[in-house]
Amino acid sequence: MTIRTLSASLLFLFSLSAFAGGKVVVYNWAEYIPDGVLDDFTKETGIQVEYSTYENNEVMYAKLQLQKGKGYDVVVPSTYLVSKMRNEGLLHPLDKTKLTNLKHLDPDLLDKPYDPGNQFSLPYLWGSTAIGVNSEAVDPKTITAWQDLWDPKWQGKLLLTDDVREVFHMAYKVLGFSTNTTDPEQIRQAYEKLQTLMPNVLVFNADAPREPFLAGDVNLGMIWSGEAAMANAENPAIHYVYPSEGAGFWIDSLVIPAGAENVANAHAFIDYMLRPEVAAKTVEAIGYASPNLAGKALLDEATRTNPIIFPAEDVIRNGEFQQDIGPAAVELLNGYWEKLKTGR
Amino acid sequence: MKIFNRSLVVLLFLILYLPIGVLVVNSFNASRYGHSWKGFSLQWYEKLWHNEALMQAFFNSLTIATLAATIATILGTLMALAIYRYRFRFKAMATGMLFVVMMSPDIVLAITFLVIFLAVGITLGFWSLLIAHITFCLPFVVITVYAQLKDFDPNLLEAAQDLGASESRILLRIILPLVLQAVVAGWLLSFTLSLDDVIISSFVTGPGYEILPIRIFSMVKVGVSPEVNALAALLLALSLLLVTIATLLTRNKAKS
Amino acid sequence: MLRPAIIILTLGWLGLFVLAPHLLVVLTSLMTPHPQHLGTYPFTLDAYVQLLDPLYASVLLDSLGLAALTTLICLLLGYPFAYTIAGLSTRWRALLLFLLIVPFWTNSLIRTYAIKLILGNKGLINGSLMNLGLIDQPLQLLYTPFAVVFGLVYILFPFFVLPLVSSFDKLDPGLLEAANDLGASRWQRFRHVVLPLTMPGVIAGSLIVFLPAMGMFYVADLLGGAKNLLLGNVIKNQFLLVRDWPFGAALSVTLILLMAGLLLLYAWSNRRIHRRGGLDDENL
């Protein structure tokens, strides 16, 4: 058999299998689904996965909106975007009868105000934003609250995530406001509070926050739970502190855009991701918490009880989940955000 | 003075290659993080081999770069000819547009491309990416070829015309061989620009056709994986191999 | 047959993919922001008024400053660099120019990540300085304006050098010999012959560095800690985060106008040199 006939038959096989199951276009962060899961899905269902990636929620939203919700079949927005996209008619309602693995999900993470009754979204992974401390340089015992970051001794030392909602969350919590406030006066107060934090800020981290911690470029600052778990595994000196005023919580959800062309395959894909084995594999590889209770049960003891990944009940109750705050508040926040970042 | 200048050149080349050296070293680092050396390992090469999505993105980048460079070279050479040889309406506008493309910050071009693709109804993906890359490579080809065209004797072309050569014959038999060197340089420059681009691609790419920089940019959630280092090292090895071959070829030619 | 085809192709491509979108951007900049569209009626100059906001004016000044510094460094390093390369044998010159662009085949984003490892607190520079005992505390290099300028120079330097080398190439050695014969000193030859004749290359290189420098948002994001904003960061934020397209478009138009101004300056200086030196020089 010559190479040409071999490749021709391979091509034929490929097109055959692609034809049999069709395809599903997944739009997600890169590597946010563990190695092998997509292949296994294709092997089992014959559905080809086109995996496309974005670097933040805003880029994803802009692309989807400009294309009127077309082009992608499954997307993974954060909570506040789910309600925004839902309100703008950018999402396709989920057909629950096709989602047999729905039963594994933690009821505490379902039916949230951003999507009552989970008509449009199902939680994929969730996590928190709290404080990372490198004990080689900073005594973790001295850091217990967001307010501690305001201490003048951290001048030019802090890492903040490059995310307006998360950064404002700190100030809201210190001031005793809700993270979802839309009150212009409270937002202004938070902005003024943050202005006094700016001299301490070294970097707004635009890529993975664990990298500067591991590189020794920062020893104190905000970090996401999954990142902290991975950093901690590499260097146990990096601790994760849930601040007393309350950590920020977020959920990344699986949704189907309104213009999706392969709705049935999208359901099949979502249902596959909700399988306990797949959920367990995801937590192990990525380090964020899964809302999948049956999946959590499959994890080994160390992961299941890791407080960075799965915080205690009272920590969750003390924190707050992000929601959509409407265009007016967003506009206000963004205006302040530009001012903060340019140091004025 | 000569020694000073030559050491400066050497030093700048060292700095230019330093980050790539770091990548190459880290591609053999057993640690996932590039901050400390944890022993020699080939695991990232193995992982890269199995990371189909990353390899696919890389091959897509190469495909786009090759296609964009080739088409931009053909189009750009024709445009250079048009500007050199023909008089036509809006010629000043055409050259002006080429300057605009060359000088525009990438972010501005990216947005203009996005706006026109959406307005015309081109779906974001392979075609939008290809058109954008061709367009931002064009001026570099035009300028390289035009600079060479200007250097030769117009009487030659007139003579050919007087002898009854057709336009296509003049282009293929006389002009093309004369500007071949510039055409090759233009292709090379286009290929380089296309492979290097981040900003424009990140705006005009769409589902189903992902290229390397976008893939890397969107690794934010889990951090850039060291397979990227392995990829960079392989790419460098390949480029240097090409350079060596090219140098050897030109040497043989010079001898004969 | 061939001739009109080439002309139509040229005008068609440039008209559709360059002129039309730029006109659309200008149009957008004159509209009223709308969260779900490019913009909406009525037409207004609000976006341009917003540009005068001291916040954006200072970002504009800052990025002009960073870009100017980047260009200056490229000039100081690039001029002797290009001069030396142009003086080499053809084969060496080709090889070195080729080596100059090979790093670009490794995408500049990947190289920017690598620069982070060099500038970090435990990176190559701080590590070496500390090993040599020159410093005992790491210098804060990363996440500073220095890091942004370093990154910009690193990425844009080859683009500065390429046009400059070609303008050195075109330098007629006869002119230098003549100057020598007439008793001009080394400095006089440089000042009155070499420098004016390579000026178009210098200006071309400077333009190719100066304008793109203001747009490279990922350099400011990764190396500057997303803090020392370039105009590109603001434009990107306006389009993607704030979704105020008219304002983003107005910023883009401002950059284009700036560019047009510099191009006119370039054309003017080219003409001047053309007259003085009697050379038909055009490096762009």
Side-chain angles (χ1 to χ4, degrees), chain A residues 55-56 58-59 61-63 65-66 84 88 134 136 156-157 159 162 164 201-208 211-212 214-218 327 330-331 334-335 337-344, chain C residues 35-38 53-56 58-59 62 113 116-117 119-123 140 142-144 217 221-222 224-229 233-245 247:
Chain A
E55 70 264 23
N56 61 42
E58 281 68 33
V59 171
Y61 172 74
K63 281 265 181 74
Q65 199 214 27
L66 288 170
K84 188 178 171 70
E88 290 170 5
N134 186 338
E136 286 160 11
K157 299 283 186 214
L159 176 148
D162 193 13
V164 53
V201 178
L202 174 66
V203 49
F204 291 95
N205 184 272
D207 51 336
E211 299 277 349
L214 286 168
D217 289 325
V218 292
V330 168
E331 193 183 330
N334 284 330
W337 182 235
E338 294 265 279
K339 285 187 189 159
L340 286 175
K341 283 182 65 171
T342 46
R344 276 158 275 251
Chain C
Q36 269 150 56
H37 304 284
L38 295 185
D53 182 322
L55 171 69
Y56 298 110
S58 66
V59 171
D62 278 3
Y113 279 107
K116 282 181 79 173
L117 295 177
L119 298 180
N121 280 354
K122 292 178 182 166
Q140 186 65 52
L142 196 57
Y143 309 129
T144 61
F217 62 80
D221 274 351
L222 295 175
K227 226 175 16 170
N228 306 292
L229 292 188
N233 297 71
V234 180
I235 297 179
K236 186 187 98 166
N237 288 348
Q238 290 302 321
F239 272 96
L240 293 181
L241 189 69
V242 184
R243 311 185 56 70
D244 185 343
W245 286 55
F247 183 52

Side-chain angles (χ1 to χ4, degrees), chain A residues 120-133:
Chain A
F120 296 93
S121 73
L122 286 172
Y124 169 56
L125 287 173
W126 62 280
S128 58
T129 307
I131 304 175
V133 184

Side-chain angles (χ1 to χ4, degrees), chain C residues 158-182:
Chain C
F159 291 110
F160 183 88
V161 171
L162 289 174
L164 198 52
V165 170
S166 81
S167 83
F168 272 113
D169 273 353
K170 290 182 185 155
L171 203 63
D172 185 356
L175 282 173
L176 284 177
E177 269 169 44
N180 203 17
D181 294 346
L182 292 171

Side-chain angles (χ1 to χ4, degrees), chain A:
Chain A
M1 195 144 93
T2 65
I3 290 183
R4 197 191 290 166
T5 51
L6 183 74
S7 53
S9 49
L10 275 178
L11 211 69
F12 177 70
L13 276 177
F14 175 76
S15 57
L16 202 66
S17 66
F19 203 69
K23 64 170 185 175
V24 58
V25 185
V26 179
Y27 197 29
N28 198 353
W29 280 278
E31 321 269 319
Y32 205 45
I33 288 178
D35 292 348
V37 166
L38 298 181
D39 286 343
D40 292 346
F41 172 73
T42 303
K43 248 176 247 160
E44 191 179 307
T45 60
I47 300 171
Q48 296 292 324
V49 182
E50 273 180 19
Y51 193 81
S52 203
T53 60
Y54 49 85
E55 70 264 23
N56 61 42
N57 271 303
E58 281 68 33
V59 171
M60 177 270 287
Y61 172 74
K63 281 265 181 74
L64 260 182
Q65 199 214 27
L66 288 170
Q67 302 187 77
K68 313 231 163 22
K70 279 203 205 58
Y72 304 96
D73 300 321
V74 177
V75 186
V76 191
S78 298
T79 27
Y80 67 96
L81 257 187
V82 171
S83 41
K84 188 178 171 70
M85 290 165 79
R86 192 195 57 177
N87 293 337
E88 290 170 5
L90 280 173
L91 298 183
H92 191 283
L94 296 175
D95 181 354
K96 304 263 176 53
T97 58
K98 289 182 181 159
L99 301 169
T100 53
N101 291 315
L102 199 60
K103 56 181 184 283
H104 302 303
L105 294 180
D106 184 349
D108 282 351
L109 292 169
L110 297 176
D111 196 24
K112 293 274 179 195
Y114 67 84
D115 183 19
N118 288 83
Q119 283 177 285
F120 296 93
S121 73
L122 286 172
Y124 169 56
L125 287 173
W126 62 280
S128 58
T129 307
I131 304 175
V133 184
N134 186 338
S135 62
E136 286 160 11
V138 178
D139 182 2
K141 290 200 188 66
T142 62
I143 305 293
T144 58
W146 289 123
Q147 177 65 45
D148 293 332
L149 301 182
W150 264 263
D151 192 324
K153 73 178 167 194
W154 307 126
Q155 195 186 351
K157 299 283 186 214
L158 298 184
L159 176 148
L160 303 190
T161 56
D162 193 13
D163 182 310
V164 53
R165 293 289 305 271
E166 293 184 346
V167 169
F168 269 79
H169 170 89
M170 291 194 298
Y172 289 149
K173 287 296 140 187
V174 170
L175 296 169
F177 303 149
S178 160
T179 198
N180 298 311
T181 182
T182 52
D183 176 4
E185 176 55 24
Q186 290 187 346
I187 296 177
R188 190 186 59 78
Q189 285 182 29
Y191 162 65
E192 282 171 4
K193 180 77 185 163
L194 286 172
Q195 268 186 318
T196 61
L197 180 65
M198 285 309 121
N200 285 1
V201 178
L202 174 66
V203 49
F204 291 95
N205 184 272
D207 51 336
R210 75 173 185 279
E211 299 277 349
F213 275 97
L214 286 168
D217 289 325
V218 292
N219 298 310
L220 182 64
M222 300 165 74
I223 191 168
W224 304 313
S225 51
E227 290 280 306
M230 283 185 276
N232 181 263
E234 174 77 10
N235 178 1
I238 295 169
H239 296 258
Y240 190 60
V241 178
Y242 290 103
S244 57
E245 302 100 330
F249 286 92
W250 41 263
I251 302 172
D252 287 340
S253 299
L254 297 160
V255 302
I256 303 177
E261 279 153 21
N262 309 295
V263 175
N265 289 348
H267 280 91
F269 182 80
I270 292 177
D271 199 40
Y272 186 83
M273 295 309 293
L274 296 181
R275 285 188 192 179
E277 319 81 85
V278 176
K281 211 188 259 185
T282 309
V283 176
E284 274 159 15
I286 295 174
Y288 287 102
S290 169
N292 198 309
L293 290 177
K296 187 179 168 187
L298 297 175
L299 292 168
D300 62 60
E301 175 80 20
T303 314
R304 210 170 18 169
T305 57
N306 185 340
I308 301 180
I309 302 178
F310 293 102
E313 288 274 321
D314 57 316
V315 172
I316 302 179
R317 231 173 294 125
N318 190 30
E320 199 175 0
F321 277 92
Q322 279 182 13
Q323 286 171 33
D324 183 31
I325 50 173
V330 168
E331 193 183 330
L332 201 55
L333 275 184
N334 284 330
Y336 285 136
W337 182 235
E338 294 265 279
K339 285 187 189 159
L340 286 175
K341 283 182 65 171
T342 46
R344 276 158 275 251

Side-chain angles (χ1 to χ4, degrees), chain C:
Chain C
M1 251 333 268
L2 194 60
R3 187 187 177 116
I6 293 177
I7 292 172
I8 288 169
L9 190 65
T10 304
L11 289 178
W13 189 284
L14 292 174
L16 184 58
F17 295 122
V18 184
L19 185 64
H22 278 85
L23 289 179
L24 270 177
V25 167
V26 174
L27 199 67
T28 307
S29 77
L30 295 170
M31 296 179 101
T32 309
H34 186 284
Q36 269 150 56
H37 304 284
L38 295 185
T40 175
Y41 301 109
F43 287 111
T44 161
L45 282 173
D46 280 0
Y48 290 92
V49 175
Q50 208 180 336
L51 268 176
L52 300 174
D53 182 322
L55 171 69
Y56 298 110
S58 66
V59 171
L60 183 64
L61 283 180
D62 278 3
S63 31
L64 283 174
L66 284 177
L69 188 60
T70 305
T71 313
L72 187 69
I73 296 172
C74 281
L75 175 65
L76 291 177
L77 297 173
Y79 200 84
F81 186 92
Y83 173 76
T84 313
I85 289 199
L88 297 170
S89 70
T90 322
R91 220 158 55 82
W92 268 102
R93 193 175 49 203
L95 178 69
L96 288 187
L97 287 180
F98 204 38
L99 283 179
L100 200 61
I101 64 167
V102 161
F104 284 81
W105 295 3
T106 308
N107 188 279
S108 53
L109 189 63
I110 306 181
R111 289 180 297 144
T112 308
Y113 279 107
I115 291 177
K116 282 181 79 173
L117 295 177
I118 294 173
L119 298 180
N121 280 354
K122 292 178 182 166
L124 270 181
I125 293 181
N126 273 316
S128 320
L129 289 176
M130 277 161 80
N131 279 340
L132 291 172
L134 292 174
I135 50 171
D136 41 61
Q137 279 294 314
L139 302 171
Q140 186 65 52
L141 301 173
L142 196 57
Y143 309 129
T144 61
F146 164 81
V148 177
V149 173
F150 184 93
L152 291 175
V153 172
Y154 179 83
I155 290 174
L156 293 167
F157 180 74
F159 291 110
F160 183 88
V161 171
L162 289 174
L164 198 52
V165 170
S166 81
S167 83
F168 272 113
D169 273 353
K170 290 182 185 155
L171 203 63
D172 185 356
L175 282 173
L176 284 177
E177 269 169 44
N180 203 17
D181 294 346
L182 292 171
S185 71
R186 190 188 253 287
W187 166 249
Q188 281 173 320
R189 268 177 292 163
F190 175 74
R191 170 72 186 78
H192 295 290
V193 182
V194 179
L195 191 62
L197 290 179
T198 52
M199 214 48 194
V202 170
I203 296 175
S206 302
L207 284 176
I208 286 186
V209 169
F210 185 75
L211 290 157
M214 282 186 283
M216 303 202 123
F217 62 80
Y218 62 95
V219 174
D221 274 351
L222 295 175
L223 300 178
K227 226 175 16 170
N228 306 292
L229 292 188
L230 295 172
L231 212 51
N233 297 71
V234 180
I235 297 179
K236 186 187 98 166
N237 288 348
Q238 290 302 321
F239 272 96
L240 293 181
L241 189 69
V242 184
R243 311 185 56 70
D244 185 343
W245 286 55
F247 183 52
L251 284 165
S252 309
V253 171
T254 310
L255 264 179
I256 295 172
L257 289 178
L258 191 68
M259 174 183 76
L262 288 171
L263 276 177
L264 285 178
L265 202 69
Y266 168 69
W268 173 78
S269 76
N270 222 6
R271 254 203 315 277
R272 220 169 64 118
I273 287 156
H274 181 96
R275 266 207 310 273
R276 283 199 352 198
L279 279 186
D280 183 29
D281 204 335
E282 198 178 317
N283 287 280
L284 272 177

